[in-house]
Amino acid sequence: MQINLIYLAAGYARRFGNNKLLTEFHGKPLFLHGLTELVRLQNMCSYPCKIIVVTAYDEIEQLCKELSAIDCIVVRNQGTQNDGIASSIRKGIETAVTYPVTATGDSVSYDMFFQADQPYVKAELLHDFLDAFFRSKKGIGALACDGSLRSPNLFSETYRGKLLALTGECGGKIVIRSHPDDVFSYPVLMPEFFVDIDTREDYAHENV
């Protein structure tokens, strides 16, 4: 198996008022918290992993290149191309196909999508989720809390066509709801894992 860790960092944060992903959060830019955990996850996995960062921002691309600890591919999604989360999903998948994790074509590839405004994700929990997902033999994986499915989500390569067909602000949950029998749900008992920073109020509440 091989897995693409696709980090979605191209949102325009209209509810926040400016580029929240570069706003300092507990000592470093908000987007770096989750990305640092993906690097840790990449190092923990025994199977090939690749990190793909989809962004609209020069500053994020530059920081990814400058930080030697981050081994990733950065792809831009900006201007008229960036018409919602679906366009970032497409960019991530297209990059995964263009730059496969391994040179062999005999292993199944998976795409896992992360939101860059979730600063409390942890590599250890993600690693446990992946181990359980692969044992389930399902094609879609989702973390769950308080009875509802949450992000991040994971899809086998067989779902790429459906993900590429998404438009606007339609994300992977549409695909998940359409294939309930193929979904592995992993319960998480820590609601803080899923906290995202959408507004100034969220930021003020969490950045203390």
Side-chain angles (χ1 to χ4, degrees), residues 27-142:
K28 60 184 178 182
L30 175 62
F31 88 94
L32 268 184
H33 289 268
L35 186 56
T36 299
E37 292 302 305
L38 291 198
V39 173
R40 294 184 61 234
L41 175 63
Q42 184 183 44
N43 293 331
M44 293 168 65
C45 291
S46 59
Y47 38 82
C49 294
K50 176 171 73 264
I51 297 174
I52 298 170
V53 177
V54 183
T55 189
Y57 303 106
D58 295 337
E59 298 92 336
I60 289 179
E61 180 175 10
Q62 190 60 35
L63 277 170
C64 288
K65 291 178 179 179
E66 290 175 355
L67 296 173
S68 59
I70 298 177
D71 180 16
C72 67
I73 296 173
V74 179
V75 59
R76 300 297 290 264
N77 183 26
Q78 60 194 87
T80 57
Q81 292 181 330
N82 187 351
D83 59 359
I85 192 170
S87 62
S88 288
I89 290 172
R90 291 195 300 272
K91 288 279 187 179
I93 292 174
E94 290 165 358
T95 303
V97 172
T98 303
Y99 302 97
V101 180
T102 64
T104 60
D106 56 355
S107 60
V108 178
S109 182
Y110 297 85
D111 304 311
M112 190 171 184
F113 297 92
F114 300 83
Q115 303 286 347
D117 61 358
Q118 289 184 282
Y120 299 136
V121 297
K122 291 299 176 187
E124 290 83 2
L125 193 152
L126 293 169
H127 187 262
D128 291 345
F129 160 67
L130 288 172
D131 281 350
F133 168 76
F134 291 129
R135 290 195 301 270
S136 77
K137 306 300 182 183
K138 299 284 189 177
I140 300 174

